[in-house]
Amino acid sequence: MITIEIRGLEPAAVKAAEQISALFSATVPAPPCRTRGEDEVLVRIQADIGRTPGAGGYTDTCA
């Protein structure tokens, strides 16, 4: 299990977290956190990267 932190503008950060969630067995992304005065947000998601493709852990899109 790893924690992935994504920083960026909210629409892009949320979209990236959704795509990670689709690739790995992952938790629901945490709501975006804002820092006062900053345009970017932080989105955290936990992904289980220890599972094999055959076990449904992730989708190999490079094949």
Side-chain angles (χ1 to χ4, degrees), residues 26-52:
T27 61
V28 175
C33 296
R34 292 194 179 281
T35 302
R36 191 181 344 212
E38 297 289 327
D39 291 335
E40 295 183 342
V41 298
L42 171 66
V43 178
R44 288 188 179 102
I45 186 168
Q46 292 185 331
D48 182 356
I49 61 169
R51 299 183 69 185
T52 63

Side-chain angles (χ1 to χ4, degrees), residues 3-21 27-35 40-46:
T3 300
I4 301 167
E5 293 185 346
I6 304 163
R7 289 188 185 278
L9 298 178
E10 187 170 349
V14 170
K15 181 71 172 178
E18 289 171 352
Q19 290 185 352
I20 290 168
S21 182
T27 61
V28 175
C33 296
R34 292 194 179 281
T35 302
E40 295 183 342
V41 298
L42 171 66
V43 178
R44 288 188 179 102
I45 186 168
Q46 292 185 331

